Amino acid sequence: GAGVSQSPSNKVTEKGKDVELRCDPISGHTALYWYRQSLGQGLEFLIYFQGNSAPDKSGLPSDRFSAERTGGSVSTLTIQRTQQEDSAVYLCASSFTNSPNQPQHFGDGTRLSIL
Amino acid sequence: SQKIEQNSEALNIQEGKTATLTCNYTNYSPAYLQWYRQDPGRGPVFLLLIRENEKEKRKERLKVTFDTTLKQSLFHITASQPADSATYLCALPASGGSYIPTFGRGTSLIVHP
């Protein structure tokens, strides 16, 4: 069953290293979203995938951030040359369609700490 | 620019009372609004969606209202319980037909036994 699964749940790495975060959406969900949540802050949109369409990357904060979604299912968010300000919880969500009234189903996130 | 406001101060109430949380928005006319619950260390969980033509929606002890004139949604939990303690987020679709919702920062609710 399953809900949205994210791994790892926690990641600690040194500044300057690259990191990869993984998201397994709910089977059959065509829309997938990545968000970032810093302490006491709201959800910051990063990137959105819908089916085979080109992703909406308008929320990516810099070119160090990229994401892929293979086979319309699993997605990987990559952060290159990490900086301390990248420390946050990275949340993935999926929804059945991209209809704007569809609820989003979230994973429990990856807590990323950059030393 | 589009803005969503939720009270940043935690709401403390006594068990059994009704909790009321507020979501205000500006520069926007959303067709619907969603409410989510987020527990510490967990992702948000969808609770309710209310459309612009619905004044009120209920689900068990939850009630949501949507006033498009005031640009406000109220989220009520009746007969609150300590297990209701969490952060509650409201979300609106981004403007311009975007499929990407915008979330408020959330309000923390603490229900004391």
Side-chain angles (χ1 to χ4, degrees), chain B residues 61-95:
Chain B
R61 295 183 296 109
L62 308 181
K63 184 179 86 170
V64 172
T65 63
F66 194 10
D67 189 324
T68 55
T69 301
L70 290 179
K71 295 187 180 293
Q72 180 182 80
S73 175
L74 298 179
F75 177 83
H76 306 272
I77 306 175
T78 58
S80 59
Q81 305 166 359
D84 296 326
S85 299
T87 296
Y88 292 86
L89 311 171
C90 66
L92 291 86
S95 58

Side-chain angles (χ1 to χ4, degrees), chain A residues 34 47 49 66-70 74-78:
Chain A
W34 281 97
I47 188 169
F49 295 89
S66 63
E68 291 184 340
R69 189 179 185 191
T70 53
V74 172
S75 177
T76 302
L77 176 70
T78 301

Side-chain angles (χ1 to χ4, degrees), chain A residues 47-69:
Chain A
I47 188 169
Y48 158 67
F49 295 89
Q50 169 55 38
N52 295 321
S53 302
D56 182 334
K57 304 179 182 181
S58 60
L60 294 178
S62 78
D63 59 7
R64 296 186 294 106
F65 288 71
S66 63
E68 291 184 340
R69 189 179 185 191

Side-chain angles (χ1 to χ4, degrees), chain B residues 23-62:
Chain B
C23 177
N24 294 302
Y25 57 91
T26 57
N27 298 325
Y28 191 53
S29 298
Y32 68 90
L33 185 147
Q34 298 179 344
W35 282 91
Y36 289 77
R37 168 183 173 143
Q38 186 173 24
D39 291 281
R42 307 298 299 274
V45 174
F46 171 77
L47 296 175
L48 281 167
L49 177 147
I50 185 165
R51 293 181 170 79
E52 61 179 339
N53 60 350
E54 297 175 313
K55 297 298 182 188
E56 180 180 299
K57 196 143 187 193
R58 293 175 185 261
K59 178 182 177 183
E60 297 173 352
R61 295 183 296 109
L62 308 181

Side-chain angles (χ1 to χ4, degrees), chain A residues 5-28:
Chain A
S5 177
Q6 290 189 247
S7 61
S9 54
N10 286 284
K11 176 74 176 177
V12 181
T13 193
E14 293 179 347
K15 176 182 170 181
K17 301 286 189 184
D18 297 352
V19 295
E20 280 191 357
L21 313 179
R22 178 185 169 106
C23 173
D24 281 275
I26 293 173
S27 177

Side-chain angles (χ1 to χ4, degrees), chain A residues 33 35 37 40-43 45 48 56 58 91 98-109 111, chain B residues 32 34 36 38 40-46 49 51 89 93 97-106:
Chain A
Y33 307 77
Y35 295 90
Q37 187 173 36
Q41 301 297 310
L43 293 172
F45 164 74
Y48 158 67
D56 182 334
S58 60
L91 289 161
N98 66 347
S99 175
N101 62 4
Q102 284 287 313
Q104 297 199 334
H105 300 263
F106 284 84
D108 286 335
R111 183 174 300 277
Chain B
Y32 68 90
Q34 298 179 344
Y36 289 77
Q38 186 173 24
R42 307 298 299 274
V45 174
F46 171 77
L49 177 147
R51 293 181 170 79
L89 311 171
S98 169
Y99 295 119
I100 301 157
T102 301
F103 287 80
R105 292 188 176 188

